[in-house]
Amino acid sequence: MRYSGLNPSEFASSRLRLDKNAIDGGWNLGTQRFNRDSGFDTVEAYAAEYCASLVDPSTGKARNDLVEDRDCPLCRSERDRWRPLWTKDGFDFFTCTSCSVVFVAPILRAQYTFEMYASSGIMGTYFEMMRHPTRDRFERAKYQYALQLLSDLKGWTSGAILDVGCGTGRFLDVAIEAGWQAEGVEIERRCVEDARARGLTIHDRFFQASAFDTSAVNVISCWDVLEHLADPCGLVREMTAALAPGGVVVVSVPNVDSLAVRVLRQASTQFCGYSHVNYFGVATLRRLLQDAGLRILHIESYISEVYVVNAHLRAMEPGREESLLSFLTPDLVHEHLMGNKLLAIAAHPLSETL
């Protein structure tokens, strides 16, 4: 995959360069400790077991009765414009030669995504992971960082936030503590019950702009959701339609152009075709937002995975004291927009120019 990002200085001014190390659990605790302490290892173990149950052993691919085909999720091109990348855990990965997005096809049918997956052990372990104090510490730091970016970009320290795919509602907690009015949209039952038990307002249905007062929502956030959807463009269009004039969307997605992905390729844990079916880099995320009529205000990366890259290279060179990339720092990775996640803020088309 060719890196096709933007000039790092295009959106990242010096006033926005806050310290992101507090967000990064692997950088602060070490990858093994963070994954163990936060419960991520348990989620990964259930995921491997779940993936195996989806595969037809005679073909090595996901069972035909579980999947459905799709066009390119970004530009809608058909299969003759795709270039195959690899097959992993039964799912085929492609890149579109028309728009460069990376995606899975075919994908799990909707009823299996929302019924089989939710009823498996994965969601239970994921739910417990998201409530774990270690995970919560770094999630809260991430959300505080995003609110600071909103303050720097727009001068906002309060207003109305709607978080789409809010999970257990941790972003809502942080936003409310900071003085915002915040509500969430979520369909996973356990997450809804947990959030409501803490007094949060959660709409337990699929997100549609027509269900909300479009004159009142200043910020619509979407944290690590778009990579899971059969139609990510449709959700972004709905988010744009629900924004008040002058409002912004805040979007976080895994970064397919990250340094770790470029080094590890399909071995990266980012590639899990049963769940992550769309993979965006800077250029494709930019197109996704702009095609919905949004104007990009800021894009940056976070979670450097320097430690993941160096551990991989050390494993490839037994006996070597240092990896070839031991000079890497998180700041250097983020300067080139090559962290594990991308964070974008984009404005309603009727927004005034900054």
Side-chain angles (χ1 to χ4, degrees):
M1 285 165 286
R2 180 177 60 84
Y3 176 65
S4 56
L6 306 172
N7 183 324
S9 65
E10 185 170 354
F11 296 121
S13 66
S14 59
R15 68 189 176 96
L16 295 174
R17 303 313 299 171
L18 307 179
D19 180 14
K20 285 185 283 196
N21 286 344
I23 299 173
D24 194 338
W27 178 254
N28 283 272
L29 302 179
T31 305
Q32 290 185 340
R33 178 185 169 189
F34 175 68
N35 288 346
R36 181 186 67 248
D37 290 357
S38 68
F40 182 75
D41 284 349
T42 304
V43 173
E44 287 289 282
Y46 269 100
E49 180 181 338
Y50 178 69
C51 282
S53 73
L54 304 176
V55 175
D56 181 344
S58 68
T59 64
K61 302 287 186 71
R63 288 167 25 207
N64 286 336
D65 60 311
L66 300 181
V67 297
E68 59 187 1
D69 217 344
R70 68 193 303 217
D71 293 334
C72 169
L74 186 55
C75 73
R76 302 301 182 190
S77 68
E78 297 181 352
R79 192 171 286 266
D80 62 344
R81 303 304 301 271
W82 308 350
R83 179 170 61 85
L85 295 175
W86 51 70
T87 298
K88 182 177 180 180
D89 297 328
F91 291 89
D92 294 329
F93 291 76
F94 298 88
T95 185
C96 177
T97 60
S98 295
C99 70
S100 300
V101 75
V102 175
F103 61 99
V104 171
I107 61 174
L108 286 179
R109 296 180 186 273
Q111 65 265 36
Y112 296 108
T113 300
F114 296 113
E115 293 174 15
M116 283 182 60
Y117 181 40
S119 65
S120 72
I122 301 175
M123 278 308 300
T125 55
Y126 175 80
F127 177 71
E128 292 303 319
M129 179 185 74
M130 296 310 296
R131 302 196 328 167
H132 195 284
T134 299
R135 173 72 57 168
D136 186 62
R137 167 188 165 189
F138 293 101
E139 289 292 294
R140 291 178 65 86
K142 175 179 70 177
Y143 297 141
Q144 289 164 352
Y145 179 80
L147 293 175
Q148 182 61 54
L149 284 180
L150 281 175
S151 176
D152 287 341
L153 281 165
K154 300 287 289 184
W156 295 347
T157 56
S158 63
I161 289 178
L162 184 64
D163 189 26
V164 178
C166 67
T168 57
R170 287 302 183 251
F171 180 48
L172 305 181
D173 289 332
V174 173
I176 290 169
E177 290 168 8
W180 292 79
Q181 296 174 315
E183 300 180 1
V185 179
E186 178 57 56
I187 61 171
E188 208 287 315
R189 175 184 55 79
R190 282 164 289 193
C191 291
V192 171
E193 291 174 352
D194 184 75
R196 286 177 172 170
R198 303 200 311 277
L200 298 174
T201 300
I202 308 296
H203 307 272
D204 55 345
R205 57 179 179 268
F206 290 102
F207 177 73
Q208 289 184 310
S210 59
F212 297 90
D213 179 359
T214 58
S215 67
V217 183
N218 306 110
V219 177
I220 299 182
S221 54
C222 189
W223 294 92
D224 300 323
V225 172
L226 296 174
E227 64 270 23
H228 298 280
L229 303 179
D231 181 20
C233 296
L235 178 57
V236 176
R237 287 193 299 269
E238 289 292 322
M239 291 165 61
T240 304
L243 271 180
V248 300
V249 300
V250 177
V251 171
S252 172
V253 293
N255 181 12
V256 77
D257 288 327
S258 74
L259 179 62
V261 166
R262 296 183 70 189
V263 172
L264 275 68
R265 306 285 287 176
Q266 63 265 44
S268 168
T269 57
Q270 191 176 128
F271 296 111
C272 49
Y274 73 92
S275 176
H276 290 188
V277 298
N278 313 303
Y279 296 84
F280 299 101
V282 178
T284 48
L285 178 58
R286 183 186 192 190
R287 174 169 176 171
L288 175 71
L289 298 172
Q290 290 179 330
D291 283 355
L294 294 164
R295 181 170 56 85
I296 309 295
L297 302 181
H298 180 72
I299 295 180
E300 64 175 78
S301 72
Y302 64 99
I303 310 296
S304 70
E305 290 195 308
V306 165
Y307 35 86
V308 174
V309 173
N310 281 326
H312 174 76
L313 293 178
R314 281 194 296 271
M316 298 292 289
E317 300 177 298
R320 189 181 181 97
E321 290 295 324
E322 292 185 330
S323 80
L324 292 175
L325 299 180
S326 57
F327 61 88
L328 273 180
T329 65
D331 286 346
L332 183 60
V333 170
H334 297 312
E335 180 183 347
H336 295 281
L337 302 174
M338 296 180 72
N340 173 260
K341 297 286 183 74
L342 292 174
L343 177 62
I345 299 178
H348 187 283
L350 298 182
S351 297
E352 297 180 0
T353 302
L354 286 183

